[in-house]
Each structure stands twice: as C-alpha cells, then as structure tokens.
Amino acid sequence: MTIHRSQGSEYPAVVIPVTTGAWMMLQRNLLYTAVTRAKKLVVLVGSRRAIGQAVRTVSAGRRCTALDFRLAGG
C-alpha cells in the first residue's frame, strides 16, 4: 500500500522501504506520514543515507510531475 493511500489509517506494524532509488520520495513529510501510520512497530528497510536524505529534505510544496513536458508531447 502506498503512503498516500494509507493516510488517515493506522496499522499494527508498518514496513517502510527507504532507498536512494526512489529519490523523489525521500521527503520528511512522507517519511513522517509513513511512520505515524504504525500503532506498535515500524521497520525501516534501506540505507542510512536514504533515511538521512529524507529527514533533511523539506518539501517545498512543488510537485515534479513533468506535466508541461507531457502536454507539449515530449
């Protein structure tokens, strides 16, 4: 299940993959949302570097969707 889909819900345990391969998702607010879904247990799977990057990255509220590029037929 995605972090977005889990918003507003709680689960007994949550396993969160945190890798540099998904660098666009390494944002503090997403990590916070994922961690706070757990009632009893949180397991972060990945690298310390990726977790550090997520903690340091404060979302500016801008989305990097490349929508303008897609609409231009690129």
Side-chain angles (χ1 to χ4, degrees):
M1 175 179 297
T2 66
I3 295 169
H4 294 98
R5 184 169 283 188
S6 70
Q7 286 182 329
S9 300
E10 287 186 324
Y11 302 92
V14 174
V15 178
I16 307 165
V18 187
T19 67
T20 55
W23 63 269
M24 288 182 65
M25 300 300 286
L26 296 178
Q27 298 176 19
R28 183 185 304 173
N29 62 325
L30 290 177
L31 184 59
Y32 173 82
T33 300
V35 168
T36 58
R37 298 308 95 199
K39 287 183 181 180
K40 291 189 175 191
L41 176 68
V42 175
V43 179
L44 300 176
V45 179
S47 68
R48 290 177 189 247
R49 180 179 174 202
I51 294 168
Q53 181 65 38
V55 170
R56 285 188 302 274
T57 304
V58 178
S59 176
R62 269 188 94 208
R63 294 189 176 194
C64 301
T65 62
L67 182 59
D68 56 346
F69 178 75
R70 294 176 187 186
L71 292 175

